[in-house]
Structure formats: structure tokens, C-alpha cells
Amino acid sequence: MKRLLTVNNLLYKIIAVVLALLLWLYVNHQENPVTDQIFTIPLEVRGLEQNLTISERPSFVKVRLQGQRRLLDEVTARDIQAFLEMSGLDVGQHMAEVHVSVPQKTQLVSVTPGSVNLDVEVLTTSQFSVNVTYKDNTPAAGFMALEPVLTPSQVILSGPEEKLKEVKQVYVEVDLGDYTFNYNQKLPVKIEDDKGNLLLDWITVTPSQVDVLVPVISELPTKTVPVKVPIEGEVALGYVMARTVTAPELIGIMGDEKVLQGIQSLTTQPVRINGATQDVVKTVELILPEGVRLTQGAKVTAIVRVEKIMEKTFTGPMVVPHNLGENLTMEILDPAMELTVSGAESLMEKLLTADITVSVDLSGLTAGEHQVPVQLNLPPGVNLGEVNPSEIKVLLKQEP
């Protein structure tokens, strides 16, 4: 009896596992059923001798795959390869089978077409000049386009001889709409027959792109002026605004000649430097007077150089007399002068004693001792801190 119960329990367990497996398969099939999906795949040619080419073949084939829906949803055309194996084939007509490589866990249902008739020919090459056609050959108002320059101006076409005979035009397409400056682009080379059909599927172009320059110039008077950037605010304590640089520094403008005569520079929107401790870089727009247009872009990059303030002390600078009377010589009786100056760190590091001019005005003074104030002439951006002494005693001597 006990043995019978054990057998029955085992049987029930087996039945339960089978039922669970069937239920899992049913649910999985409902949620992720097997389905078909069609992909459009480029048709490659493999193994063809380098001196041969194919005059006619489909560019794409339709591939139908079967698999679970979730898996097919993740498949893209890049995961599938369709190709013609041309190894060993010579000039002439051939029937070639389309081979397809598909991702794992998917099944190939069909490929359309499954085979293609091919006409294998000797590869022919020829040199063609590249022309320029225009979608729009009109630049912005007040501008005109000059003759285009192509680099290179000729390309090599390779393909079946019959297809090369059909070539009517080799060209690049340019759009000059609203251009106010030179058009300079790298453009793809296109090939058309006399019916306007593109032949790129059958013919290889070398190089496939060319550099195209179309000079665009103003029909109005032009002028080049410097760019100025207004600065708002103050840098942080202990720092100084060293200088302002703009890119570009000069800008081209055009307009009526009388209007241009009154413009010496262009101003941008202001740049704020409140509390700055490092360089401030901003892209700002130019402010244009009425009736004036730019010959190039309307934006300027402004770089405000912000540096720490540095002090520097000099001892014994040369004192130069001014307006010294005739037959008089000057001798300084005080100890060597000491002066302290400050400015941007980069400026102070290069500053030398010879860059500072110290002078005394001796107008109307005669021989004898005199107390005279010193006068300092400092380079731009250098500020005077202290000077000791601020007046010096000099002895004027009459020459014999």
C-alpha cells in the first residue's frame, strides 16, 4: 500500500510539472507569439574581379524573417546581409542567387527576388569635369556671386561602358540664398543622364566630394572699422581689468557712402564684469547704425582679461632735468629715490626701471640749492603708489 502511494505521488508531480510547462508555453506564445516581418536590405556584390562591373542589378531586396515578436522588434536592417557571390564569373550574362545571412533565433522565410539576371562587363573609367548648378544663385540683397572655384575641378567615373555613355551631367548643387559672405562647402558629386535620372547606383565617383568656393562680394560701398566693447561693473577687490580683446578685432560694413563716412567704429552689447576674478568671455552682438549692414557674421567674441594686482618697488630711477638754465649743471643732493607702482600682474612682471620717466622742472632756477617736486610719467595701466621723497634737493652749478 505504501509503495502504491509513493508511485501515485510521483505521477502527480510529473503531471504537475508537465501542466506547468504547457501553461508557460501557452502564456509565452500569447505574449510573445511567432510572427513574420519584412526588411528592405541593400544588395551587395562579393567576389567580383576588380576589372569587372555589373551593368544592371537591383539595389535592394525584400527579406521576410520569422521569429518571436519580441526578438524581431530588436532586429534592424543592419543585422541582415544580402549579397551576390560573383567569385569566378567572367564577362557575360549570368543568373546569380541572392544569399542572405540572418540573426540567430530567426528563420529566413523568403527573399525577393531570390535570384537576378546579371550582365557582367569590363570596368571602364573616364575623366569628367564637374559643373555647378544652383538651387538659388541669388545672395542677400546688395551682394553678388562671382565665378565658382572647384577643387578638384575634374573627377574619375568608373562603371559599365554603356552607363558611362549615358552620363549627361556631372555636377554639384549650390544654394546661395541670403549669403552675405563667401560660400565654402564640401559637396557630393552627382551624375545624371539626359532624362535627369541619377546614375550613382552604377557608377563610382573618385573623389565623391569636391570643395566648392563661390566668392560673394558686396555691390555697395564697404568699410572696415574696429570693434569696441563697453564694460559694465567692477572686478573683485585686488584684481584689475588688464585689457579687452575682441574676435574679430575689425569688422566689414557696407551701406551708403555718406553713412559710412560718419562711422569710425562699431560697438557691441555691453559685457558685465561684476566681481570677476578671472577672464570673462562672452559672445555679444554688434549694434548697427540704421542703413548699415555687415559683410560677415553679426556676433563678436569679447575676452576681458582679469588679473591680480601686483605691486613693484624701484630704487634709484634716473631723474631727468627739464628747462635747465644755460651753462648750468644739476646734482641731486638727496639719497636715492624709491617709488612703488601697481598694475596687472602680467604688465608688472615685464616693467623695468627704464620704463618709468622721473623728471624735475627747473624753469627760472639759478645756481644754488633748490627743493623741487618730482614728476613721474608711467606707462599705460601702471598706477603710482608711493614715491619717497616726493621732492628732491638739487644743486645747480654754473659752468666756468
Side-chain angles (χ1 to χ4, degrees), residues 21 33 43 46 65 78 106 132 183 207 211 213 221 348 371 381:
L21 179 61
L43 182 58
R46 298 182 181 178
L65 295 187
R78 290 191 298 272
T106 64
V132 174
Y183 178 98
D211 291 315
L213 169 64
M348 301 307 294
Q371 193 80 14

Side-chain angles (χ1 to χ4, degrees), residues 8-35:
N8 288 339
N9 287 339
L10 180 60
L11 181 60
Y12 292 150
K13 290 179 180 178
I14 293 173
I15 292 172
V17 171
V18 171
L19 289 175
L21 179 61
L22 291 174
L23 179 61
W24 180 83
L25 290 173
Y26 173 78
V27 172
N28 187 61
H29 179 74
Q30 292 297 316
E31 295 184 353
N32 189 23
V34 174
T35 184

Side-chain angles (χ1 to χ4, degrees), residues 19-329:
L19 289 175
L21 179 61
L22 291 174
L23 179 61
W24 180 83
L25 290 173
Y26 173 78
V27 172
N28 187 61
H29 179 74
Q30 292 297 316
E31 295 184 353
N32 189 23
V34 174
T35 184
D36 290 0
Q37 190 167 333
I38 297 176
F39 299 86
T40 300
I41 308 299
L43 182 58
E44 304 175 34
V45 175
R46 298 182 181 178
L48 189 66
E49 296 292 333
Q50 291 186 352
N51 64 329
L52 300 179
T53 186
I54 299 173
S55 60
E56 297 287 348
R57 65 173 173 85
S59 301
F60 298 90
V61 294
K62 299 287 187 180
V63 174
R64 181 187 292 271
L65 295 187
Q66 187 176 82
Q68 291 183 322
R69 182 174 60 193
R70 188 177 304 163
L71 179 61
L72 288 182
D73 287 344
E74 297 177 355
V75 174
T76 67
R78 290 191 298 272
D79 302 320
I80 306 168
Q81 294 180 333
F83 60 93
L84 301 172
E85 183 53 63
M86 307 296 292
S87 300
L89 296 185
D90 203 351
V91 174
Q93 293 186 341
H94 303 274
M95 175 72 73
E97 179 184 357
V98 177
H99 300 273
V100 179
S101 173
V102 301
Q104 293 182 349
K105 298 182 181 180
T106 64
Q107 181 178 353
L108 176 63
V109 177
S110 65
V111 54
T112 305
S115 60
V116 293
N117 288 316
L118 302 174
D119 192 2
V120 179
E121 299 182 11
V122 175
L123 182 67
T124 302
T125 62
S126 185
Q127 184 168 292
F128 285 78
S129 296
V130 183
N131 299 315
V132 174
T133 64
Y134 292 92
K135 286 184 179 179
D136 185 345
N137 65 349
T138 307
F143 290 85
M144 63 180 295
L146 302 183
E147 286 295 318
V149 179
L150 278 65
T151 309
S153 60
Q154 295 185 325
V155 294
I156 301 297
L157 303 189
S158 305
E161 184 178 3
E162 291 301 317
K163 287 296 180 184
L164 290 183
K165 290 180 180 178
E166 295 178 10
V167 173
K168 179 68 174 180
Q169 182 176 211
V170 179
Y171 66 98
V172 291
E173 197 168 36
V174 171
D175 185 354
L176 289 181
D178 292 329
Y179 260 74
T180 60
F181 47 91
N182 290 347
Y183 178 98
N184 197 343
Q185 301 283 344
K186 185 178 286 293
L187 299 178
V189 179
K190 298 181 180 181
I191 309 167
E192 283 186 1
D193 61 17
D194 56 1
K195 297 179 181 178
N197 299 317
L198 291 175
L199 302 176
L200 292 176
D201 286 341
W202 319 112
I203 298 175
T204 302
V205 187
T206 306
S208 60
Q209 294 182 323
V210 297
D211 291 315
V212 181
L213 169 64
V214 182
V216 177
I217 62 173
S218 171
E219 294 179 318
L220 297 172
T222 62
K223 183 178 183 179
T224 300
V225 294
V227 177
K228 296 184 178 180
V229 180
I231 305 298
E232 293 183 351
E234 298 291 338
V235 297
L237 187 64
Y239 290 81
V240 66
M241 185 184 74
R243 62 189 182 281
T244 301
V245 180
T246 63
E249 295 181 355
L250 302 174
I251 199 79
I253 57 176
M254 65 178 183
D256 184 85
E257 189 169 356
K258 291 183 179 179
V259 175
L260 294 186
Q261 287 177 354
I263 299 175
Q264 305 307 318
S265 64
L266 282 188
T267 302
T268 71
Q269 294 174 330
V271 173
R272 297 187 63 82
I273 59 171
N274 286 349
T277 59
Q278 59 185 3
D279 291 351
V280 178
V281 181
K282 296 288 185 182
T283 299
V284 288
E285 292 189 1
L286 287 159
I287 300 173
L288 294 178
E290 187 175 353
V292 174
R293 298 176 61 180
L294 298 176
T295 61
Q296 57 192 58
K299 292 186 177 181
V300 170
T301 299
I303 305 172
V304 182
R305 300 293 187 191
V306 178
E307 300 182 24
K308 287 184 178 180
I309 294 176
M310 178 180 177
E311 288 189 346
K312 199 168 186 178
T313 299
F314 297 92
T315 302
M318 179 182 295
V319 179
V320 179
H322 284 174
N323 302 314
L324 182 63
E326 189 176 355
N327 298 325
L328 292 177
T329 61

